[in-house]
Each structure stands twice: as C-alpha cells, then as structure tokens.
Amino acid sequence: MSTRLKPIPVLRSDEDAEDFVANADLSEYDLSGFKPMHFELEPKSASLNMRLPAALLDAVKARAKARGIPYTRYVRMLLEADVAHRRHS
C-alpha cells in the first residue's frame, strides 16, 4: 500500500488558507517544503538610524535576500540573537 502524499494546493487568499487548515487532514499532505517561520508579535515602538559602509550594507542586504526576508528584519534578528546569546553567556 502506497502512502503518497498530496501536494499543498495553491491558496489565493487568507480565507482559503484558513479554510484549508480548518478542514484538511494535514497528515495527507507533503509538508517537506515548509520551513520554520519567525513571527514578530511585539510592536515596534522605537527606531534606529545608523550610518554604515556601503559594502557592509550591501552584504547585509544580500544575506537577507538569501533568507527571503527584508534586510531591516534581518538586522533586527541579528541584534536579538546577540542580546539573547549574551544573556545566556
């Protein structure tokens, strides 16, 4: 007996996605292409303005693009990771 998994259907709206998740048996679908997602729930109430060498900013933007996220979110993630690491050191 073959247990071939179904591909995830194309979901064209939030409503389609909500309906799919609410009604589908997700164990029947191939979820291997999914990757973890970091949700940012805390409101951003402060801003940071800094000057960087152009080459550094270009490198940061390239790393963020490779991860598929905006470069400002990537910088925020680096800051959060460093602060969390130093708390535990």
Side-chain angles (χ1 to χ4, degrees):
M1 178 175 158
S2 175
T3 57
R4 185 178 179 123
L5 297 175
K6 302 176 195 176
I8 298 292
V10 175
L11 305 169
R12 300 197 185 278
S13 69
D14 288 345
E15 292 78 19
D16 288 349
E18 289 172 5
D19 184 59
F20 175 74
V21 171
N23 298 305
D25 178 355
L26 296 181
S27 67
E28 297 176 356
Y29 291 87
D30 180 8
L31 305 177
S32 64
F34 283 29
K35 56 185 174 180
M37 180 68 180
H38 175 76
F39 291 97
E40 298 188 2
L41 303 175
E42 189 173 344
K44 287 27 165 214
S45 57
S47 64
L48 172 67
N49 183 6
M50 64 173 49
R51 299 188 63 74
L52 302 171
L56 178 57
L57 181 57
D58 290 343
V60 166
K61 286 181 176 182
R63 291 261 178 119
K65 185 176 181 180
R67 291 178 137 216
I69 59 175
Y71 76 94
T72 52
R73 183 177 308 150
Y74 179 67
V75 170
R76 189 167 49 251
M77 288 170 53
L78 292 174
L79 292 170
E80 289 169 348
D82 185 68
V83 169
H85 173 76
R86 294 193 189 277
R87 279 188 198 136
H88 301 292
S89 299

